[in-house]
Amino acid sequence: MLDLPLVLLSNRGPVSFDRDASGRTVTRGAGGLVSALSGLAEHLDDAVWVCGAATTEDTVVAGEALGGSIVVQTSPSPHVVEGDADGPTIRVHLVVTDPAAYADFYSVWSNPILWFVQHGLYGRALSPNITQAEHDAFEHGYAAVNRAYADAVADEVRARGGKALVLLQDYHFYLVAERVRELCPDVVLTHFVHIPWPSPDEWRVLPAGIRERLLRGLLGSDVVGFHTRRYARHFVLCAQELLGLDVDLDNLLVTVGDRTVRARYYPISVDPAALDAILGTEEVAAHVAMLRYAFLDGDRQLILRVDRTDPSKNVVRGFLAFGTLLDQHPELVGKVSFLALLQPSRTDVPEYADYIALIGAVVAEINARHTKDGQQPIDLRMAEDFPLAVAAYSICDVIMVNAIADGMNLVTKEVAVVNRRGGVLALSENAGAHEELGEYSVTLHPFDVQQMADALYEALTMPVEERHRRLAAAADQVRTHDVGRWLSEQLDDLARLAGYS
Ligand code: GDG
């Protein structure tokens, strides 16, 4: 499909290096995005993945590569290749940046400021405070780190004769495309944004000079990709209202000088075959048996949520809605359990640490109010255990996804594929997945606790045939729109723009 070389950029890469008693170790990155992009990079003759050096050993490896790239064999056991490989390989370029600049880039601007703006998480009365420290962190952190990564991408493009397809990922790198285009005018470039893109007024919380630079940076791309039409439209509106550019809202086009930038939507998805394989393992079967025993004997029912402890996921209001459900339907007490598998996330950010404490307090209060026969209705587990999550996906009666805002939400799609119990998707209208799966779901309004309680009741009491009909339709949608399709649609568009198809 691709005759041109490919350069990928993401903050976290396909592998990371560490050291133990036996020497250097190599671990493959987890998650659907890394798997999908790794699969692509492994199958191309000339692809390189630019990413951050995340560990001490990554920095050592980057030093040994003298600012260039290394080749890593990814299976059966991952290792750096010096000569010929006897398995699939990925070329990796690890970028090392000044630790203080990286901290400003990552822990001041990317998370939390950009994350909070794009998920609408600020209570504007008191936050954010953009002081001189944030201005400095933007200049010497976000912008400086973006420049370093852009230079690494440009080096790799130049090493390939100045013409390559470039795929940039996410909110960490909004300034990269513009600089890569300056340095390598012949690139064809897509920047994919994995989180929501809010309307222009939401961006006005940032100083004009900064939001304009972020937009101009992204407009260095040929294509700016989003999960949904709504986000793509917001982006085009931002170009019109915040930069005064000419736009075509129907066709989602922005005119920048003599160039046309396209906003497109490519809904990310999951790898159904990989999920089916995990579901078939003994480890998952053992978890299923344990969960059935704990939650599903007789006519009991199970509500599930699986999330990082991120305020955007709206965990606290989800529990408040469950508490309201039990208050208003006491017949469900002792009959319905709520299992929450939460992965602690970004605990160095004060808002995240506070949020975990709040979750604990709300759960304790609801459990105290509704314990029956020694049984507590909410089982909260801080667990990093993907097989356990898949086991729970397969047997839950309801999956609760009530995000305040969520780019897509892959948990919803994973449940649609692996659930075997006619599980109901209780899905926030503000999750990207709602654009595709809303018609098969029970819609949640993330701020309306009463509505969410009513929706949970509707899901739990929905006739069995209707539950199975909706789940089958959702599963069909996901299986026919998998992560491979997400990637190939982007590559097809890029190849067209490059004049290769
Ligand atoms: C961002 C955007 C967008 C679950 N338990 C464990 C575990 N998981 C997996 C889930 C799922 C993934 O983690 C979470 O993905 P989400 O899409 O739900 O959410 P974010 O992490 O916020 O992802 C989001 C996504 O990027 C892709 O573009 O959909 O909107 O916010 O696959 O099954 N993974 C591991 N251990 C667990 O215990 N490793």
Side-chain angles (χ1 to χ4, degrees), residues 17 77 107 113 144 209 216 313 315 342 350 366 383 485 497:
F17 297 91
S77 68
S107 304
I113 297 180
R216 291 250 173 230
K313 304 292 182 180
V315 179
L342 303 182
I366 294 170
R485 180 161 167 166
L497 289 172

Side-chain angles (χ1 to χ4, degrees), residues 13 74 110 364 402:
T74 48
S110 301
N402 64 318

Side-chain angles (χ1 to χ4, degrees), residues 30-33 115 119 169-171 192-196 227 231 268-270 275 306-308 310 312-313 341-343 345-346 383-390 393 401 405-412 414 431-433 486:
L33 174 67
W115 184 273
H119 289 86
Q169 305 294 315
D170 235 344
Y171 57 99
F192 189 86
V193 179
H194 288 262
I195 64 178
H227 290 307
Y231 308 150
I268 201 168
S269 190
V270 297
L275 288 166
V306 178
D307 285 301
R308 289 183 300 101
D310 192 302
S312 68
K313 304 292 182 180
L341 302 178
L342 303 182
Q343 299 88 52
S345 175
R346 302 176 193 165
E384 266 287 342
D385 188 340
F386 186 62
L388 176 64
V390 173
Y393 290 162
V401 175
D406 210 337
M408 173 54 70
N409 192 279
L410 292 176
V411 168
T412 312
E414 289 162 349
W486 170 76

Side-chain angles (χ1 to χ4, degrees), residues 366-381:
I366 294 170
N367 273 343
R369 208 162 78 223
H370 289 297
T371 292
K372 187 174 178 187
D373 303 328
Q375 206 170 43
Q376 300 187 334
I378 301 175
D379 185 340
L380 169 66
R381 302 188 194 178

